[in-house]
């Protein structure tokens, strides 16, 4: 990584690894589920967290067909119904003859924990508009004094050193209002030279990286993308020729030879210190 000049960070799951807000989000979504289905919503949510459900980090959800998809960079390999039964190969070929487009509403990439409760809610009839309202309410909660974040000390020290040597960029799907508050709570406000909010990853990931390359007059090979969502932050960057570090906190196993893979912020801190400082 000797030629890296720009480091692009995702926010949630990348700059911090707290997870308590996902429970808050799930509870909001559950309130939109029909009362007679709420117990099953809870059972499914807990099953996913324990790795006992066909819905897993790294897979996708087809909301129109109510199918869970195992895929390789968008190319569907297998498909399962909600009960975990695999559907026939000929149906998979018919339904998904080409790489699936991740549009966040009809085809949802389960790239991180944000997408687990919302996918379960969609299965039980919650609309994408209702789900987004719950997401925004969760982000508003994260802005309050009640919500506390605990910065990872090793990562904080590394980030402090990196910003003196490289241009650091924040690229997040979250709104600016709550993202700025979260960054302030972490103590990272002064570290980022540029911030992009509501980035619409993965749909516009490549566009955002093109904008970054043009703004800072660098090649893609001089950009390092770091994130915990493979489809959002890693795969599009690899296709462009960027360097990448994937935080695979849930053992999705989506990384490849073009990507450095770590499992947590402790490992990320070690890799960044060894390769860039």
């Amino acid at each position: 990584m000797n030629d890296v000049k720009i480091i692009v960070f995702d926010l949630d799951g990348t700059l911090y690894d707290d997870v308590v807000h996902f429970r808050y989000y799930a509870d909001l979504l559950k309130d939109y589920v029909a009362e007679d289905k709420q117990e099953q919503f809870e059972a499914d949510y807990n099953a996913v967290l324990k790795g006992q459900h066909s819905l897993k980090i790294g897979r996708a959800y087809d909301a129109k067909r109510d199918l869970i998809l195992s895929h390789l960079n968008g190319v569907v390999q297998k498909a399962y119904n909600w009960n975990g039964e695999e559907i026939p190969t000929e149906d998979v070929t018919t339904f998904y003859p080409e790489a699936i487009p991740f549009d966040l509403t009809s085809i949802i990439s389960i790239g991180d924990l944000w997408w687990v409760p919302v996918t379960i809610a969609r299965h039980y009839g919650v609309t994408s508009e209702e789900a987004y309202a719950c997401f925004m309410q969760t982000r508003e909660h994260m802005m309050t004094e009640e919500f506390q974040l605990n910065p990872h000390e090793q990562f904080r020290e590394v980030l402090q050193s990196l910003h003196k040597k490289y241009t650091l960029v924040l690229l997040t799907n979250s709104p600016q209002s709550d993202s700025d508050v979260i960054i302030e709570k972490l103590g990272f406000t002064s570290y980022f030279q540029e911030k992009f909010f509501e980035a619409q990853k993965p749909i516009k990931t490549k566009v955002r990286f093109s904008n970054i390359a043009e703004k800072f007059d660098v090649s893609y090979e001089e950009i390092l993308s770091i994130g915990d969502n493979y489809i959002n932050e890693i795969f599009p960057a690899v296709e462009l020729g960027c360097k990448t570090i994937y935080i695979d906190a849930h053992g999705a196993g989506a990384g490849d030879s073009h990507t450095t893979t770590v499992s947590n912020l402790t490992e990320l801190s070690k890799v960044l210190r060894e390769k860039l400082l």
Side-chain angles (χ1 to χ4, degrees):
M1 297 191 182
N2 293 334
D3 53 348
V4 169
K5 295 181 179 178
I6 308 288
I7 307 177
V8 181
F9 287 91
D10 175 47
L11 175 57
D12 303 302
T14 301
L15 296 186
Y16 68 96
D17 52 9
D18 298 58
V19 297
V20 66
H21 50 292
F22 297 123
R23 178 71 260 182
Y24 184 92
Y25 185 34
D27 288 340
L28 292 176
L29 288 162
K30 186 167 68 173
D31 286 341
Y32 280 94
V33 174
E35 190 171 349
D36 63 336
K37 299 292 185 182
Q38 290 186 1
E39 185 176 338
Q40 191 57 50
F41 172 97
E42 187 68 23
D44 284 343
Y45 184 61
N46 290 328
V48 174
L49 296 183
K50 294 176 182 177
Q52 299 171 351
H53 197 283
S54 55
L55 183 68
K56 303 177 186 298
I57 301 292
R59 291 185 173 179
Y61 176 64
D62 183 338
K64 291 182 177 179
R65 294 189 174 95
D66 193 33
L67 293 175
I68 297 164
L69 312 177
S70 174
H71 66 94
L72 179 61
N73 299 333
V75 178
V76 178
Q77 312 290 307
K78 296 181 180 180
Y80 307 86
N81 65 24
W82 196 257
N83 295 325
E85 299 164 339
E86 187 176 344
I87 71 168
T89 301
E90 55 268 27
D91 288 342
V92 174
T93 303
T94 300
F95 294 159
Y96 312 106
E98 300 176 350
I100 52 178
F102 299 107
D103 59 9
L104 307 181
T105 53
S106 59
I107 301 289
I108 300 171
S109 171
I110 318 300
D112 54 47
L113 283 176
W114 279 111
W115 293 101
V116 170
V118 70
T119 299
I120 299 171
R122 291 293 304 279
H123 168 73
Y124 288 110
V126 176
T127 67
S128 57
E129 292 77 16
E130 290 169 336
Y132 186 71
C134 293
F135 170 74
M136 292 303 295
Q137 190 173 340
T138 302
R139 301 302 298 194
E140 290 170 5
H141 168 67
M142 295 173 74
M143 295 171 63
T144 65
E145 292 185 6
E146 176 187 352
F147 181 76
Q148 299 295 317
L149 282 173
N150 301 302
H152 187 285
E153 186 58 28
Q154 285 178 268
F155 179 67
R156 185 195 64 77
E157 293 174 358
V158 169
L159 196 65
Q160 185 178 41
S161 298
L162 287 173
H163 103 279
K164 298 175 183 178
K165 186 176 179 181
Y166 304 92
T167 297
L168 306 189
V169 175
L170 179 73
L171 183 66
T172 176
N173 279 349
S174 298
Q176 180 173 359
S177 55
D178 57 84
S179 296
D180 278 339
V181 172
I182 289 171
I183 294 168
E184 183 178 359
K185 287 184 177 185
L186 291 168
F188 297 165
T189 301
S190 63
Y191 295 161
F192 295 95
Q193 187 168 332
E194 187 68 68
K195 302 170 190 170
F196 295 90
F197 306 97
E198 299 183 83
Q200 295 180 275
K201 300 180 288 186
I203 300 170
K204 293 190 176 181
T205 300
K206 288 184 178 180
V207 173
R208 304 307 180 203
F209 274 83
S210 176
N211 293 340
I212 291 168
E214 182 177 354
K215 180 179 179 63
F216 294 102
D217 191 25
V218 297
S219 66
Y220 291 125
E221 291 77 11
E222 294 172 314
I223 298 175
L224 167 63
S225 176
I226 302 176
D228 69 313
N229 189 315
Y230 187 81
I231 292 297
N232 281 8
E233 294 110 25
I234 306 303
F235 179 58
V238 168
E239 286 197 313
L240 290 174
C242 302
K243 295 172 176 62
T244 54
I245 300 179
Y246 172 44
I247 306 171
D248 186 11
H250 308 287
D256 55 31
S257 60
H258 301 288
T259 300
T260 299
T261 301
V262 298
S263 60
N264 51 47
L265 289 185
T266 298
E267 290 185 12
L268 175 62
S269 302
K270 181 179 179 180
V271 168
L272 290 174
R273 189 178 298 279
E274 291 176 349
K275 293 183 178 293
L276 294 172
L277 294 174

